[in-house]
Amino acid sequence: MPYLGSEDVVKELKKALCNPHIQADRLRYRNVIQRVIRYMTQGLDMSGVFMEMVKASATVDIVQKKLVYLYMCTYAPLKPDLALLAINTLCKDCSDPNPMVRGLALRSMCSLRMPGVQEYIQQPILNGLRDKASYVRRVAVLGCAKMHNLHGDSEVDGALVNELYSLLRDQDPIVVVNCLRSLEEILKLEGGVVINKPIAHHLLNRMSKLDQWGQAEVLNFLLRYQPRSEEELFDILNLLDSFLKSSSPGVVMGATKLFLILAKKFPHVQTDVLVRVKGPLLAACSSESRELCFVALCHVRQILHSLPGHFSSHYKKFFCSYSEPHYIKLQKVEVLCELVNDENVQQVLEELRGYCTDVSADFAQSAIFAIGGIARTYTDQCVQILTELLGLRQEHITTVVVQTFRDLVWLCPQCTEAVCQALPGCEENIQDSEGKQALIWLLGVHGERIPNAPYVLEDFVENVKSETFPAVKMELLTALLRLFLSRPAECQDMLGRLLYYCIEEEKDMAVRDRGLFYYRLLLVGIDEVKRILCSPKSDPTLGLLEDPAERPVNSWASDFNTLVPVYGKAHWATISKCQGAERCGPELPKTSSFAASGPLIPEDNKEREQELPDSGALMLVPNRQLTADYFEKTWLSLKVAHQQVLPWRGEFHPDTLQMALQVVNIQTIAMSRAGTRPWKAYLSAQDDTGCLFLTELLLEPENSEMQISVKQNEARTETLNSFISVLETVIGTIEEIKS
Amino acid sequence: MIHSLFLINCSGDIFLEKHWKSVVSQSVCDYFFEAQEKAADVENVPPVISTPHHYLISIYRDKLFFVSVIQTEVPPLFVIEFLHRVADTFQDYFGECSEAAIKDNVVIVYELLEEMLDNGFPLATESNILKELIKPPTILRSVVNSITGSSNVGDTLPTGQLSNIPWRRAGVKYTNNEAYFDVVEEIDAIIDKSGSTVFAEIQGVIDACIKLSGMPDLSLSFMNPRLLDDVSFHPCIRFKRWESERILSFIPPDGNFRLISYRVSSQNLVAIPVYVKHSISFKENSSCGRFDITIGPKQNMGKTIEGITVTVHMPKVVLNMNLTTTQGSYTFDPVTKVLTWDVGKITPQKLPSLKGLVNLQSGAPKPEENPSLNIQFKIQQLAISGLKVNRLDMYGEKYKPFKGVKYVTKAGKFQVRT
């Protein structure tokens, strides 16, 4: 964002940089350069002094060099032609006696990010890989990855990759880790760096020498290694044991994940590991850094999915302190909800109750929902707490409590009585759409148990004109009709008024249609209305479905210590898809020739065919291969059920047809070679009821038509028709591709 | 791994950015600002934000946001830890991690970021190694630099990087050989209305300052090592030795470092050194309320409790507070509604108290919930868990070092509900 006046600044700096007096005075010269950098970091466009800065790079002052290189890395993409001038100096610095200068120059050169720089950096990088100072080797190793990126990810330099693999044996631990990082990037398209037995063992032995970042990353790379024997596996686990106690939570989590993955066939080892990391995880949950806390809590939830009782004895750790940020509080409430058991339920509910009156409405509401969740198991206590909350007469609390009640009576019918007693009076404290809908639904479905239900609904009917939410009106219509069935005398009049309003005055089409529908339904007769509207009032079995079953550890082990527990898998999938699309975008011309010879059936057609069998209510069973003999016998014993002629023009490839038919589960029993005329093929298919379809295809190129004869072992026209339409589509598609 | 880093201040200005791979436009931060707006309070911005093409992982430290841009799947803890390390390094170099300090030293900041991360991967993060690469600014040095024209960049490679033991540089020499250990314990606790403990736990660390020549091999033993529930170690500690003998045996890094951190949790009884008597009430339908708190010592093992501060976030409807205190001073900020009472020391003869009237917004409903009290305190020469160092032995070197152990107990997240 160059703002006004930046031109003057550039002009002035340019003058200063050119001034020979300033150039002679090292200190003043450096100060001017520092000013340039400062402006640059503030977002001013400083590319105007590029030429002068390049000149300034020829100096013995290492600070000045650093600053100039920093400048060049920022603006080189804008001024590639001028940047080439600097390369000479950089190359010279790459053979400076001081390893700091060599490393600095090499790093800057690799970060220039301009086209054409590759040819200059290749030699310095190769020299750097063999440098005797580890500092330079570290830079050079990562430089390989940068160079590869500049090449546009296209070709992989085999010699370079081999060199990097051999550098895995370097004595400097950071060089080793950098090699892994670099190889991973270079070999991205081939699935990353390969960890075989010697490499894995080498890395395992070096683990203790690495810094925490290196350890965390190596643990991640080791996930790819599959130990050959049980003995080796347990040796590895023993070796890594101490990392479960590391002071860095990142390393602990990395080690845990490795343990979980390696021991995937030994559930007791997995459980054991999870017990051992309980301590470190809990420590992270109460860490000073709230961000660490948050991520640790997300992982605690993940573990609880498999081992519900795992943290139950530590439930107090998850009590919220009021100064914590919301995202932590919300996670803690979720965790509390999941680790409730008979012993701690009293304390947990007590604690949650305290949160319900929190200053933040969001947090209070999520605490109420949490109580609702616990209510599925400990109904009585929770309903009592929720009822007490209604007494506070706070809008944001009442609406959520009523919504919780609605969900609860559906799952736990035993609490209906208590809920019905609690409801009267809360209509005064509900203003939002969700809350009103929930209340009206409850009044409609359980109205016969609530004495004043019709009068509450009457209020809603009175004010229906000023009601802003159409969903509330819909709910009101249904509820009133339901209540009318159980208490006709009290409701008849207002139902009439409501229907009149909805049909005559309402502007929302959905509400109007619903009104008309109910009106006509009433005309049919009350029995019919009852049959349609009086469905079951609860469904406890749904609770079992909603309760997340204990998931095996292996189902999430590979997601452990990634962003998945924090943000869910779906999102990464979309991100990587976007990136994939971006990557493919510019390369389209290259791949177009491939696409033509590629898949036999274009993507969209394939989908169509797979959908078709379903739409015709016909399910063809895959892999129902008949023997030729059996086919022949059946074919001769049956009569032709259907015969049809399709137009066919041009060339014919039997293989294409065979594959296409395979996709829709039609098997080819026999066919003539390509080019024979007339060409014949025999097909068979069977649907899920056991009905056999035998087909003969006869192609006569002279007449440019294909004759289809279908025989069926059970005479059923419906399935026959759908089978024929499937067949037609396939043949039609094949023809489309050709033309 | 880490693509870019943006530093953002509380008012939403991006005042520094650094890109390790290609340049990511500042507009990616819009997603962050959106989340910030939604969160209302800066404290509540979630640490992981997803955008269509990136993930933003951020930390909030000293009123600054460190926002990193991530493009590939990474272990989130790794990134968060690293960002904290960056903030720690700034703190270490400039004495504070503030916008002003970073802007003043922007050149050093860039040098640091360049050395700490290359191509998005962490390289040198150990403070003593970094300090040999880039010398921290001091007033004296900047004066000297301006006279002699020398720089704050080391000309030689850090020796620590070439030693066989990665955390210790070779050839260390001191005239006075000293080894100091600070046992620091923090009590995290929630005390409920009636004064009983809802939850209490001790988080302890042992920080060491070792200035010993050569390659000393130390072993530290405790009087009561079984006390420690859950310990995490500096990489220098030999884990097997701890498992078998409960002795910390290690070749220490040079200078300051954290030896172990540990937890003493609710299973063992945690002593609560202070109690609070409180009565806070708001009258229905009137615009005033009463506020009265008194602090006293409890289970303090005969030591003085000092440095006490009480912070209370009063409800939004509170307009002002008229209080008198028997000790220390109090302030009430009517904008943030935070009451801070700086108490100082407790003398058991005369317990400090703070009482008076609370003015409420007239007409507003009375607050549903009483505020919680946050308490800070400090006890010198006491580790509240009872942990004691037994002895420190040194092998491998001939000289006699000077040894010292200091204990201190502090309040962590210490909260009293009313």
Side-chain angles (χ1 to χ4, degrees):
Chain A
M1 298 166 273
Y3 48 74
L4 286 175
S6 77
E7 281 162 30
D8 293 340
V9 174
V10 171
K11 219 178 270 169
E12 184 214 319
L13 285 171
K14 200 171 198 165
K15 215 193 253 166
L17 284 169
C18 294
N19 188 337
H21 293 299
I22 292 182
Q23 281 180 358
D25 186 343
R26 246 173 82 182
L27 211 61
R28 276 174 73 195
Y29 199 29
R30 195 204 291 160
N31 279 338
V32 177
I33 293 170
Q34 284 204 357
R35 273 181 62 205
V36 174
I37 301 288
R38 198 157 290 157
Y39 285 127
M40 180 181 94
T41 58
Q42 284 164 10
L44 260 70
D45 184 10
M46 282 288 134
S47 59
V49 294
F50 201 92
M51 202 56 217
E52 289 71 25
M53 290 296 272
V54 170
K55 275 188 203 138
S57 67
T59 169
V60 287
D61 183 354
I62 191 161
V63 178
Q64 188 171 329
K65 257 193 208 305
K66 266 192 181 184
L67 296 179
V68 174
Y69 289 162
L70 180 64
Y71 175 89
M72 286 202 275
C73 291
T74 317
Y75 288 115
L78 294 176
K79 305 245 169 181
D81 41 340
L82 287 177
L84 281 180
L85 294 175
I87 291 218
N88 204 7
T89 326
L90 284 165
C91 281
K92 215 166 72 206
D93 281 348
C94 282
S95 44
D96 195 277
N98 184 347
M100 282 274 283
V101 177
R102 291 204 297 271
L104 182 64
L106 192 55
R107 188 163 64 210
S108 310
M109 229 152 114
C110 297
S111 318
L112 279 178
R113 289 194 285 262
M114 56 177 199
V117 77
Q118 301 97 300
E119 46 183 305
Y120 300 101
I121 59 176
Q122 190 154 17
Q123 200 49 47
I125 286 182
L126 290 178
N127 293 342
L129 288 176
R130 297 187 195 101
D131 201 290
K132 61 181 187 300
S134 58
Y135 184 77
V136 184
R137 288 202 301 275
R138 292 173 188 176
V139 173
V141 167
L142 284 183
C144 297
K146 292 181 191 168
M147 181 165 70
H148 179 75
N149 282 341
L150 284 172
H151 272 298
D153 294 347
S154 51
E155 64 222 78
V156 173
D157 182 348
L160 194 67
V161 169
N162 284 342
E163 178 112 32
L164 285 175
Y165 269 119
S166 69
L167 271 174
L168 282 175
R169 306 260 167 201
D170 196 282
Q171 54 166 332
D172 183 75
I174 298 188
V175 172
V176 175
V177 181
N178 279 0
C179 275
L180 289 173
R181 293 160 169 168
S182 203
L183 281 169
E184 178 72 9
E185 255 180 56
I186 294 174
L187 301 172
K188 194 163 48 189
L189 292 179
E190 292 158 36
V193 54
V194 180
I195 307 284
N196 58 20
K197 189 169 172 175
I199 295 181
H201 285 208
H202 170 68
L203 290 175
L204 283 165
N205 288 328
R206 296 297 297 273
M207 272 297 276
S208 58
K209 297 262 157 61
L210 305 176
D211 61 355
Q212 54 163 316
W213 318 112
Q215 287 176 350
E217 277 184 72
V218 169
L219 284 169
N220 214 359
F221 281 119
L222 283 173
L223 290 172
R224 296 187 193 163
Y225 179 63
Q226 194 65 55
R228 303 291 150 79
S229 64
E230 218 167 280
E231 203 180 330
E232 190 189 355
L233 188 149
F234 284 104
D235 280 347
I236 293 177
L237 295 188
N238 278 334
L239 205 60
L240 293 176
D241 203 52
S242 63
F243 295 99
L244 288 175
K245 288 274 172 200
S246 165
S247 60
S248 149
V251 175
V252 174
M253 299 291 260
T256 312
K257 178 171 184 180
L258 186 60
F259 270 67
L260 292 180
I261 299 266
L262 285 181
K264 60 172 172 267
K265 295 205 187 95
F266 306 93
H268 61 281
V269 178
Q270 288 181 326
T271 321
D272 197 43
V273 170
L274 290 176
V275 170
R276 296 203 33 206
V277 300
K278 201 149 109 177
L281 251 178
L282 285 173
C285 286
S286 53
S287 140
E288 245 174 280
S289 149
R290 47 198 43 255
E291 295 84 10
L292 277 183
C293 243
F294 171 72
V295 176
L297 285 168
C298 291
H299 282 92
V300 165
R301 281 182 63 194
Q302 178 108 66
I303 294 175
L304 280 173
H305 284 319
S306 296
L307 305 168
H310 198 55
F311 291 95
S312 288
S313 53
H314 299 272
Y315 66 95
K316 285 187 175 172
K317 278 242 124 189
F318 303 100
F319 284 2
C320 304
S321 112
Y322 84 104
S323 47
E324 279 166 339
H326 278 162
Y327 52 84
I328 290 188
K329 287 188 187 169
L330 295 182
Q331 288 296 333
K332 282 192 170 175
V333 167
E334 296 272 337
V335 171
L336 278 176
C337 223
E338 278 175 64
L339 48 71
V340 160
N341 62 18
D342 291 344
E343 282 150 42
N344 58 25
V345 63
Q346 205 50 47
Q347 286 88 332
V348 170
L349 283 177
E350 199 99 324
E351 183 71 17
L352 284 174
R353 204 202 115 67
Y355 304 155
C356 294
T357 49
D358 194 272
V359 191
S360 150
D362 277 347
F363 180 49
Q365 294 185 340
S366 64
I368 296 169
F369 279 129
I371 295 180
I374 297 175
R376 287 173 198 173
T377 337
Y378 301 96
T379 315
D380 296 338
Q381 287 135 297
C382 296
V383 171
Q384 197 195 337
I385 292 180
L386 291 171
T387 313
E388 281 166 25
L389 287 174
L390 285 178
L392 291 173
R393 306 186 154 273
Q394 293 284 322
E395 240 170 61
H396 69 275
I397 295 178
T398 311
T399 163
V400 180
V401 171
V402 171
Q403 287 171 50
T404 315
F405 276 155
R406 173 194 55 193
D407 300 343
L408 202 57
V409 292
W410 186 252
L411 297 176
C412 312
Q414 71 271 24
C415 68
T416 315
E417 200 57 48
V419 168
C420 290
Q421 278 168 14
L423 278 182
C426 53
E427 70 277 0
E428 292 158 28
N429 296 308
I430 296 183
Q431 293 302 328
D432 65 319
S433 156
E434 284 290 321
K436 279 186 189 168
Q437 287 178 54
L439 178 67
I440 294 172
W441 186 87
L442 279 168
L443 291 173
V445 173
H446 298 288
E448 76 274 7
R449 304 198 202 184
I450 307 170
N452 70 340
Y455 308 101
V456 178
L457 287 180
E458 185 159 24
D459 280 345
F460 280 107
V461 174
E462 298 284 290
N463 300 323
V464 73
K465 272 185 201 157
S466 51
E467 178 59 60
T468 43
F469 309 105
V472 174
K473 294 181 195 169
M474 303 263 257
E475 200 64 64
L476 186 60
L477 266 169
T478 315
L480 197 54
L481 195 57
R482 278 196 182 130
L483 195 60
F484 169 69
L485 296 177
S486 54
R487 299 166 78 165
E490 293 156 291
C491 297
Q492 185 170 15
D493 178 50
M494 55 175 158
L495 180 62
R497 272 185 286 152
L498 184 65
L499 281 174
Y500 178 81
Y501 166 79
C502 287
I503 295 166
E504 296 292 327
E505 293 175 44
E506 177 58 41
K507 294 202 178 61
D508 189 282
M509 275 307 144
V511 178
R512 219 174 89 92
D513 282 349
R514 178 75 66 91
L516 275 170
F517 169 68
Y518 284 148
Y519 177 69
R520 287 175 191 144
L521 195 61
L522 282 166
L523 288 182
V524 175
I526 207 74
D527 292 334
E528 198 67 4
V529 180
K530 267 190 187 144
R531 200 173 61 81
I532 289 172
L533 273 181
C534 294
S535 41
K537 294 185 177 181
S538 67
D539 188 4
T541 53
L542 208 62
L544 295 177
L545 285 179
E546 274 200 0
D547 268 348
E550 280 178 38
R551 281 192 268 154
V553 175
N554 285 332
S555 70
W556 49 261
S558 57
D559 295 335
F560 198 75
N561 197 26
T562 63
L563 285 166
V564 174
V566 185
Y567 243 96
K569 198 171 221 154
H571 188 75
W572 262 116
T574 46
I575 283 197
S576 31
K577 214 169 168 186
C578 285
Q579 280 173 347
E582 265 172 18
R583 209 168 289 136
C584 287
E587 282 171 14
L588 262 181
K590 258 188 252 166
T591 52
S592 59
S593 61
F594 169 76
S597 62
L600 288 162
I601 305 167
E603 215 56 48
D604 47 346
N605 283 337
K606 221 187 246 169
E607 276 166 27
R608 227 169 78 200
E609 281 156 17
Q610 275 159 352
E611 274 168 25
L612 266 171
D614 297 334
S615 62
L618 173 81
M619 283 289 290
L620 292 180
V621 187
N623 293 329
R624 184 61 59 167
Q625 194 78 49
L626 300 181
T627 60
D629 288 345
Y630 180 75
F631 181 88
E632 199 178 357
K633 246 195 333 214
T634 331
W635 177 261
L636 292 173
S637 68
L638 291 173
K639 267 190 262 167
V640 175
H642 180 91
Q643 201 156 35
Q644 191 179 356
V645 175
L646 290 177
W648 187 273
R649 244 165 262 103
E651 281 298 306
F652 182 70
H653 298 286
D655 295 346
T656 320
L657 181 67
Q658 191 181 0
M659 281 192 66
L661 289 168
Q662 194 90 45
V663 172
V664 293
N665 296 328
I666 299 176
Q667 314 300 329
T668 316
I669 301 292
M671 62 180 177
S672 352
R673 252 174 290 143
T676 9
R677 36 191 81 175
W679 182 88
K680 262 189 185 180
Y682 288 98
L683 316 171
S684 86
Q686 189 172 20
D687 74 0
D688 48 354
T689 58
C691 181
L692 263 181
F693 301 95
L694 307 179
T695 313
E696 184 200 50
L697 301 180
L698 180 67
L699 180 72
E700 295 183 45
E702 293 89 347
N703 309 347
S704 28
E705 60 188 13
M706 176 168 328
Q707 186 184 328
I708 306 172
S709 331
V710 182
K711 293 184 178 180
Q712 203 180 10
N713 66 349
E714 294 165 41
R716 279 189 301 185
T717 27
E718 256 177 41
T719 49
L720 180 68
N721 286 340
S722 35
F723 175 73
I724 287 167
S725 75
V726 170
L727 203 57
E728 268 176 30
T729 326
V730 175
I731 292 167
T733 315
I734 300 271
E735 205 181 7
E736 262 169 45
I737 297 174
K738 302 165 87 56
S739 58
Chain B
M1 186 160 274
I2 295 175
H3 217 92
S4 304
L5 176 72
F6 294 96
L7 296 193
I8 300 175
N9 64 14
C10 264
S11 46
D13 301 322
I14 304 171
F15 66 93
L16 190 121
E17 58 184 287
K18 167 96 186 133
H19 306 276
W20 281 276
K21 294 185 158 191
S22 53
V23 176
V24 178
S25 149
Q26 283 198 353
S27 59
V28 75
C29 291
D30 291 349
Y31 293 99
F32 177 79
F33 295 133
E34 210 173 280
Q36 199 175 11
E37 218 162 276
K38 216 158 59 188
D41 191 3
V42 279
E43 304 251 323
N44 295 338
V45 183
V48 181
I49 297 168
S50 62
T51 77
H53 297 283
H54 309 273
Y55 266 99
L56 303 178
I57 298 185
S58 63
I59 63 161
Y60 180 65
R61 278 270 297 250
D62 303 310
K63 308 221 158 81
L64 296 178
F65 285 102
F66 290 68
V67 182
S68 60
V69 180
I70 310 293
Q71 223 165 12
T72 45
E73 180 68 65
V74 290
L77 283 168
F78 184 96
V79 180
I80 290 173
E81 265 188 287
F82 180 78
L83 293 176
H84 274 293
R85 183 63 68 85
V86 172
D88 287 342
T89 308
F90 290 167
Q91 174 94 36
D92 192 26
Y93 264 74
F94 314 129
E96 52 169 356
C97 176
S98 66
E99 187 183 354
I102 291 173
K103 275 184 170 164
D104 285 348
N105 298 292
V106 76
V107 174
I108 295 184
V109 166
Y110 268 98
E111 286 178 43
L112 283 172
L113 290 177
E114 189 86 351
E115 291 294 343
M116 292 181 84
L117 218 58
D118 188 10
N119 206 22
F121 299 111
L123 286 185
T125 54
E126 283 297 330
S127 150
N128 52 4
I129 289 174
L130 272 175
K131 277 191 177 153
E132 285 184 59
L133 283 168
I134 303 155
K135 296 203 180 94
T138 61
I139 296 171
L140 183 67
R141 187 169 298 120
S142 59
V143 173
V144 172
N145 282 355
S146 62
I147 295 167
T148 60
S150 61
S151 65
N152 56 349
V153 173
D155 297 348
T156 49
L157 268 181
T159 41
Q161 294 184 302
L162 302 172
S163 148
N164 280 333
I165 296 161
W167 55 84
R168 190 176 176 88
R169 59 192 173 103
V172 185
K173 261 211 157 65
Y174 288 102
T175 43
N176 296 326
N177 288 297
E178 307 160 316
Y180 297 109
F181 295 91
D182 287 345
V183 180
V184 184
E185 296 195 339
E186 291 195 354
I187 307 177
D188 289 350
I190 300 177
I191 314 286
D192 76 0
K193 270 183 208 147
S194 56
S196 55
T197 311
V198 177
F199 155 78
E201 184 179 82
I202 297 168
Q203 310 264 9
V205 295
I206 299 183
D207 284 336
C209 172
I210 308 277
K211 294 180 174 170
L212 297 174
S213 316
M215 275 289 167
D217 193 333
L218 303 178
S219 50
L220 184 77
S221 61
F222 298 101
M223 305 276 249
N224 36 12
R226 302 267 158 212
L227 214 61
L228 307 177
D229 260 353
D230 171 36
V231 196
S232 47
F233 302 101
H234 190 276
C236 69
I237 291 170
R238 296 178 183 106
F239 182 59
K240 291 274 179 287
R241 188 89 191 274
W242 168 260
E243 283 214 309
S244 57
E245 303 169 50
R246 298 273 149 179
I247 286 175
L248 294 177
S249 152
F250 55 99
I251 294 174
D254 186 37
N256 294 312
F257 66 100
R258 176 155 294 174
L259 187 63
I260 60 170
S261 51
Y262 58 91
R263 223 157 46 89
V264 179
S265 79
S266 21
Q267 264 72 352
N268 311 322
L269 267 181
V270 175
I272 303 292
V274 292
Y275 73 87
V276 182
K277 261 201 330 216
H278 51 80
S279 96
I280 302 173
S281 58
F282 304 105
K283 273 188 222 119
E284 193 82 59
N285 300 326
S286 101
S287 60
C288 75
R290 290 206 56 81
F291 184 93
D292 184 353
I293 52 177
T294 308
I295 296 189
K298 188 183 152 189
Q299 295 180 297
N300 59 340
M301 327 260 172
K303 307 275 189 205
T304 335
I305 304 168
E306 49 188 36
I308 303 174
T309 11
V310 180
T311 343
V312 190
H313 281 260
M314 298 302 288
K316 284 203 182 77
V317 290
V318 173
L319 280 184
N320 216 336
M321 303 183 76
N322 263 326
L323 307 173
T324 49
T325 167
T326 58
Q327 188 183 332
S329 59
Y330 82 95
T331 51
F332 177 72
D333 183 346
V335 180
T336 55
K337 314 284 182 205
V338 176
L339 168 75
T340 317
W341 179 26
D342 195 349
V343 187
K345 241 192 263 186
I346 296 186
T347 37
Q349 290 76 29
K350 190 164 173 284
L351 296 179
S353 68
L354 177 71
K355 58 178 125 192
L357 289 179
V358 185
N359 295 327
L360 302 180
Q361 221 170 323
S362 54
K366 117 187 158 90
E368 298 145 31
E369 190 181 45
N370 279 337
S372 298
L373 316 174
N374 244 14
I375 300 178
Q376 290 297 319
F377 56 80
K378 210 172 178 182
I379 309 170
Q380 300 284 4
Q381 291 313 321
L382 173 72
I384 196 89
S385 66
L387 186 74
K388 274 220 161 68
V389 172
N390 186 21
R391 55 181 297 146
L392 175 75
D393 297 309
M394 187 181 75
Y395 306 96
E397 294 290 333
K398 294 216 167 60
Y399 54 85
K400 273 232 172 303
F402 183 80
K403 304 174 269 195
V405 183
K406 218 169 75 184
Y407 299 92
V408 66
T409 297
K410 289 191 231 171
K413 297 176 196 151
F414 196 95
Q415 184 188 335
V416 179
R417 295 178 177 169
T418 60

